[in-house]
Amino acid sequence: SSQAGDGGRLRVSNLKTEEFPTIQFALDVYDREGNFLADLTPGDLTLEEDGRPVQEVGLQVFQPGLQFSLAITPAAAWNTRFGEKTQLEWLKASLQAWGNRLPTDGKDDFSFSTPTGLQLIRSRDPRKLVEALDDYQPDLSRSEANLFSLMTALDLAADQKIDPQMKRVILWVTPPLGSSLTAGLAEALSRAQQSGVHVFIWMPVNSLDAPVPDTGAFQNLTDATGGRFTLVAAPDTMPDVESWLTPLRRAITVRFVSTARQSGEHRLTVGLNRAGWSGITQSLDYTLEIKPPNPIFFAPPSRLERTWSRPEGSEEFLLQPVAVPVQILIEFPDSHPRDLKNTRLFLDDTLLVENSAPPFDRFVWDVSTLTESGAHTLRVEAVDVLGLTGSSIAVPVEVAVAPRPATNLLERISGRGLVAVGAVLVAGMVLGLVLLGENRLRSRRRQAERRRQADPLTQPVPIVQEKSRTRRVAVESASWPKASAAPGTMARLIRVTEEEQPIPGSLIPLNRSEITFGSDARQSVVLLADASVSKRHARLVRDGDTFTIFDEGSVAGTWVNYSPVGASGRRLEHEDLIHIGRVAFRFELTKAPSLRLPVVEKVDESL
């Protein structure tokens, strides 16, 4: 405690840092008469932390309750009678009357110690103290002066496990002591100050008019601990206990926001900004461990797959997903949870998202810009109200973006296929030009021949000739690498390359009434492991000698001779070229139909 110049007293105690950066402590301020100053405002206090003024201060007056210990050191002189009772009986009656006036559901607890030990320990019921005083019947003739009851009460008050906000009070009823025992009061004073105990003393004497014994050591003990001292004799000189305790029934809790930003030792200095209190301060030292927050990914995505899908009613393909939720945990290694200013999510050390308001532990990651496959890293930062920044480790994320599906026939044809188609078109144009030139040349020859025949001199002698017979030649279908099929199989599929060359060992006999094609083994008979093939892509149905292929709503489509197949299907002919996505097949009948050559006839030029 610190004494003010006018006799007032300021005491700071019970400092707590568990809610850092908010720190709180208990403040007791009394004037010279011992009255508690309950009208303090934050402006009446001056607070400095490590020499820096503290601005954010709050005060709260409350009733913490008292830990009251009665310590009695009996003396033979207390057998003196005052009227119908001895002095001891009057002392007990005065204390019992006070105990009976107290509520049984209050916040106080009560203990009672004597030279023979503790008679009552921390009872919440004041009536228990009354009963203990009733039971206390010491043999005053054998009493010896000592400090045992006082020291026992101090031991009990030193236990800080009981609510530390409760104020500790000892009322010591003792006779004057010899000089040898008086010297021991210095130790009692030291222990009382360490535990924050207020010591009050009643010293019974036979008469207040008799010479006063040396009470200096007792007076010093009560003044230094914020208690009071009095001599008592007759019943009318005994003070009201409650009037002594009333100033202690209130306390002030002071809360402030610490400006400390580093771990280590710190000092708080408290003063009172009132007239007569200038320069009166008290300091408390305390230790803080301060560390930045530690953000941690909660189940981070190790792989992100983006695939193409076409929304219902749209012809455009879109990459999905467009956003991914990311959740984090935020730890405080210094065991001081506190508010956050913001959290930030980084992709390859580039800021993606910043949360400047709660919730700070969730992000929505916009992945719409990731249109190519590649390796990336995610990292998160957290900044607390102290301005301390903590960062997580960089978490690797593999991004896989599927190839864009083809939307028309040209996109479905490979580069070599496009070259082949171009070559065919050029060849067709050249052939068309040649045929056109040939027709023009024939026309000119016919005109010259007609003019020649119109000349009488050049007319030939008619000779009857038999017309040339029509000759028909039957040939087998165009040559194609033959592959054996199971007996009884009417048709087969042979997988071909982009150049439409057969792939050895790829024959699929069509010996079932229905065959499904796709990339999902649970939905397809023929499994095609290609990215362009849907889970259930196409269906080939046999009806007698007829084979029809249907598209099953696939993304890449089903094509026959480069023409799309709809839901109504397409009947297959011998040697049709089928594309299921990008996978190509040649359809063949086991008994290929014969192709007949055109009829070759000799032209009768006389016509």
Side-chain angles (χ1 to χ4, degrees):
S1 301
S2 299
Q3 297 293 330
D6 63 355
R9 185 164 41 87
L10 177 149
R11 183 174 183 272
V12 178
S13 62
N14 197 26
L15 186 140
K16 296 181 178 181
T17 61
E18 289 81 0
E19 298 180 12
F20 179 85
T22 298
I23 296 178
Q24 74 174 40
F25 60 88
L27 175 65
D28 292 321
V29 184
Y30 303 92
D31 62 17
R32 63 185 303 172
E33 286 79 25
N35 297 314
F36 180 76
L37 300 184
D39 61 343
L40 290 180
T41 66
D44 293 328
L45 296 180
T46 58
L47 269 67
E48 291 185 355
E49 186 179 32
D50 299 330
R52 297 186 298 271
V54 175
Q55 302 298 331
E56 300 182 49
V57 180
L59 302 182
Q60 181 183 6
V61 179
F62 68 104
Q63 293 186 348
L66 301 179
Q67 289 185 21
F68 179 84
S69 290
L70 174 63
I72 293 180
T73 302
W78 293 2
N79 264 326
T80 302
R81 299 190 73 85
F82 290 87
E84 59 185 15
K85 296 180 182 180
T86 65
Q87 191 174 39
L88 174 60
E89 290 173 339
W90 281 115
L91 289 170
K92 290 169 57 177
S94 177
L95 292 169
Q96 286 175 319
W98 167 70
N100 283 323
R101 291 194 299 269
L102 295 176
T104 58
D105 58 351
K107 297 182 179 180
D108 304 339
D109 67 40
F110 304 89
S111 301
F112 179 23
S113 64
T114 69
T116 59
L118 286 166
Q119 311 302 315
L120 182 67
I121 301 176
R122 294 198 180 98
S123 173
R124 288 284 185 175
D125 186 356
R127 305 299 184 269
K128 297 295 184 182
L129 177 61
V130 174
E131 295 174 2
L133 285 168
D134 262 340
D135 295 338
Y136 180 55
Q137 303 292 333
D139 183 357
L140 296 181
S141 62
R142 302 177 61 181
S143 297
E144 295 181 359
N146 58 62
L147 299 177
F148 183 81
S149 59
L150 174 62
M151 293 302 182
T152 301
L154 285 172
D155 289 340
L156 198 63
D159 186 358
Q160 297 295 323
K161 294 180 180 179
I162 308 301
D163 187 354
Q165 290 187 325
M166 295 181 71
K167 294 187 179 180
R168 291 157 171 77
V169 178
I170 295 176
L171 174 57
W172 184 26
V173 184
T174 180
L177 302 177
S179 59
S180 60
L181 293 177
T182 303
L185 294 180
E187 179 187 351
L189 171 59
S190 175
R191 293 179 59 185
Q193 289 179 325
Q194 289 178 359
S195 303
V197 178
H198 301 265
V199 179
F200 295 81
I201 298 178
W202 287 3
M203 183 173 286
V205 293
N206 290 334
S207 173
L208 297 182
D209 297 330
V212 178
D214 183 10
T215 60
F218 297 93
Q219 188 76 49
N220 182 54
L221 174 60
T222 57
D223 290 346
T225 60
R228 296 176 67 175
F229 173 85
T230 188
L231 297 173
V232 297
D236 58 351
T237 64
M238 295 182 187
D240 177 26
V241 178
E242 188 61 28
S243 66
W244 282 20
L245 299 182
T246 296
L248 300 179
R249 291 198 176 280
R250 289 182 291 179
I252 298 176
T253 295
V254 182
R255 296 170 63 90
F256 69 93
V257 178
S258 174
T259 59
R261 297 295 182 268
Q262 294 181 346
S263 300
E265 296 291 331
H266 300 273
R267 168 166 291 191
L268 174 67
T269 303
V270 182
L272 193 61
N273 187 24
R274 281 194 173 185
W277 293 78
S278 177
I280 304 303
T281 62
Q282 183 180 355
S283 297
L284 288 179
D285 294 329
Y286 54 96
T287 303
L288 288 175
E289 183 182 17
I290 306 174
K291 294 181 179 181
N294 180 33
I296 304 171
F297 282 104
F298 180 76
S302 59
R303 179 177 174 84
L304 172 63
E305 295 186 358
R306 302 198 69 202
T307 58
W308 295 91
S309 65
R310 183 164 54 189
E312 186 176 355
S314 174
E315 296 183 358
E316 183 179 358
F317 285 92
L318 300 176
L319 272 175
Q320 298 291 342
V322 296
V324 174
V326 177
Q327 187 170 0
I328 62 173
L329 301 175
I330 302 172
E331 296 180 342
F332 289 89
D334 54 14
S335 300
H336 296 306
R338 48 194 177 270
D339 292 336
L340 297 173
K341 282 187 176 180
N342 56 60
T343 52
R344 307 184 186 111
L345 180 65
F346 294 84
L347 179 68
D348 300 330
D349 289 329
T350 299
L351 180 62
L352 289 179
V353 186
E354 180 173 1
N355 291 330
S356 56
F360 291 105
D361 59 348
R362 290 186 290 274
F363 298 92
V364 178
W365 175 18
D366 180 6
V367 298
S368 59
T369 59
L370 298 176
T371 58
E372 296 181 358
S373 299
H376 301 273
T377 58
L378 281 177
R379 184 174 60 84
V380 68
E381 286 183 355
V383 183
D384 64 16
V385 292
L386 304 180
L388 302 178
T389 302
S391 176
S392 71
I393 61 173
V395 176
V397 179
E398 185 70 26
V399 177
V401 180
R404 182 184 180 90
T407 56
N408 53 55
L409 180 59
L410 290 179
E411 291 183 1
R412 298 175 188 273
I413 302 175
S414 64
R416 293 183 179 180
L418 287 175
V419 172
V421 171
V424 171
L425 293 176
V426 171
M429 292 176 62
V430 172
L431 180 58
L433 292 175
V434 170
L435 293 176
L436 180 60
E438 180 67 21
N439 287 337
R440 290 182 178 178
L441 181 59
R442 284 186 178 182
S443 178
R444 291 175 181 174
R445 288 179 177 174
R446 288 176 180 174
Q447 291 177 2
E449 182 65 21
R450 289 192 185 97
R451 288 194 295 270
R452 184 183 63 79
Q453 291 179 357
D455 187 354
L457 297 177
T458 60
Q459 295 299 317
V461 178
I463 301 175
V464 179
Q465 288 186 341
E466 186 179 359
K467 291 186 178 180
S468 300
R469 294 191 178 185
T470 302
R471 192 171 48 149
R472 300 181 183 271
V473 181
V475 297
E476 197 175 50
S477 62
S479 62
W480 185 260
K482 300 297 186 292
S484 62
T489 301
M490 293 185 61
R492 59 195 170 224
L493 291 179
I494 299 178
R495 189 166 176 175
V496 297
T497 64
E498 292 183 353
E499 292 79 15
E500 301 183 10
Q501 297 300 315
I503 298 175
S506 63
L507 181 143
I508 301 175
L510 305 180
N511 52 7
R512 301 169 61 138
S513 60
E514 180 177 298
I515 299 178
T516 53
F517 301 81
S519 59
D520 188 348
R522 293 174 296 180
Q523 303 183 50
S524 306
V525 174
V526 177
L527 187 65
L528 302 178
D530 190 270
S532 65
V533 178
S534 299
K535 292 182 178 180
R536 182 182 171 96
H537 195 112
R539 178 168 54 95
L540 197 152
V541 177
R542 172 186 173 185
D543 184 9
D545 296 340
T546 302
F547 292 84
T548 306
I549 192 167
F550 299 85
D551 184 74
E552 293 291 283
S554 65
V555 175
T558 305
W559 307 76
V560 175
N561 298 331
Y562 300 104
S563 295
V565 176
S568 59
R570 169 77 176 267
R571 181 177 176 178
L572 297 178
E573 302 291 344
H574 181 60
E575 294 189 352
D576 277 346
L577 180 62
I578 301 171
H579 280 87
I580 298 176
R582 290 182 178 272
V583 181
F585 293 93
R586 178 71 69 182
F587 173 77
E588 288 187 353
L589 295 172
T590 304
K591 295 182 179 180
S594 298
L595 295 179
R596 297 190 177 274
L597 293 178
V599 176
V600 179
E601 296 183 351
K602 183 177 181 180
V603 177
D604 189 355
E605 295 183 355
S606 63
L607 298 178

